[in-house]
Amino acid sequence: MKTNQEKVELLYEKAKEALNNSYSPYSKFKVGAALITKSGKIYTGTNVENASYGLSMCAERIAIFKAISEGEKDFETLVVIGDTEKPISPCGACRQVIAEFGVDEVILTNLKKDFKVMSVEELLPYGFSGEELDDKNTNNR
Ligand SMILES: O=c1ccn([C@H]2C[C@H](O)[C@@H](CO)O2)c(=O)[nH]1
Ligand SMILES: [Zn+2]
């Protein structure tokens, strides 16, 4: 059984490996993410850009979409790393996607190993959720 610190260190290394795979020739801004499920599986993501800039996809959403595609939906910890002065700050779109599935903690970091641990509620206060939709449609999820 891993200690919490060992788990975070492993996720940090996986997220950094993903950052090194970043396809970001336009922004030159590399991001990596590593998501661990409650069952202990790890899914990584990096940002993938496109010549048509708006088609680019963030590291966080790729990690989450990979996990969902593999049938996982119970998430424990998401680590996000950027080559940033302070721990990276996920974009609004990623915050919304993170909130959709939930995760116990989001750990934001950088190559210098500054850490900021946040809850989904702290990342996206008063966010929009599917509960609002349930009022209009009883069988939409
Ligand atoms: O948390 C973040 C912030 C930005 N990006 C990507 C999107 C784009 O490729 C580049 C610059 O915005 O960084 C991420 O992947 N995650
Ligand atoms: Zn994003």
Side-chain angles (χ1 to χ4, degrees):
M1 188 65 192
K2 282 190 172 47
T3 65
N4 195 54
Q5 194 188 335
E6 284 169 338
K7 183 190 78 181
V8 172
E9 271 168 24
L10 177 62
L11 289 172
Y12 182 93
E13 289 309 319
K14 294 277 180 196
K16 197 170 147 188
E17 266 176 49
L19 175 147
N20 285 318
N21 291 331
S22 172
Y23 178 75
S24 44
Y26 306 105
S27 73
K28 313 251 193 290
F29 188 78
K30 295 171 187 256
V31 185
L35 177 67
I36 190 165
T37 66
K38 299 244 156 116
S39 60
K41 292 199 197 116
I42 296 174
Y43 295 87
T44 61
T46 191
N47 56 322
V48 181
E49 299 186 346
N50 192 277
S52 177
Y53 295 175
L55 303 185
S56 302
M57 180 54 63
C58 296
E60 300 92 314
R61 276 179 286 164
I62 290 183
I64 293 168
F65 293 163
K66 279 169 70 178
I68 296 291
S69 303
E70 298 292 318
E72 300 288 342
K73 55 180 167 29
D74 296 320
F75 303 132
E76 196 170 271
T77 302
L78 172 67
V79 170
V80 190
I81 182 171
D83 184 7
T84 40
E85 182 58 32
K86 292 183 285 183
I88 190 163
S89 173
C91 81
C94 288
R95 291 174 195 229
Q96 182 73 29
V97 170
I98 293 166
E100 179 76 22
F101 300 106
V103 57
D104 294 344
E105 55 178 2
V106 181
I107 301 181
L108 307 172
T109 186
N110 58 13
L111 295 172
K112 297 182 294 178
K113 289 197 164 186
D114 300 314
F115 287 98
K116 186 171 175 68
V117 182
M118 297 186 76
S119 67
V120 173
E121 179 59 29
E122 285 168 333
L123 268 177
L124 190 67
Y126 198 63
F128 181 70
S129 88
E131 278 169 36
E132 314 292 335
L133 302 172
D134 289 343
D135 295 341
K136 314 257 180 239
N137 179 349
T138 49
N139 57 359
N140 58 9
R141 272 181 297 150

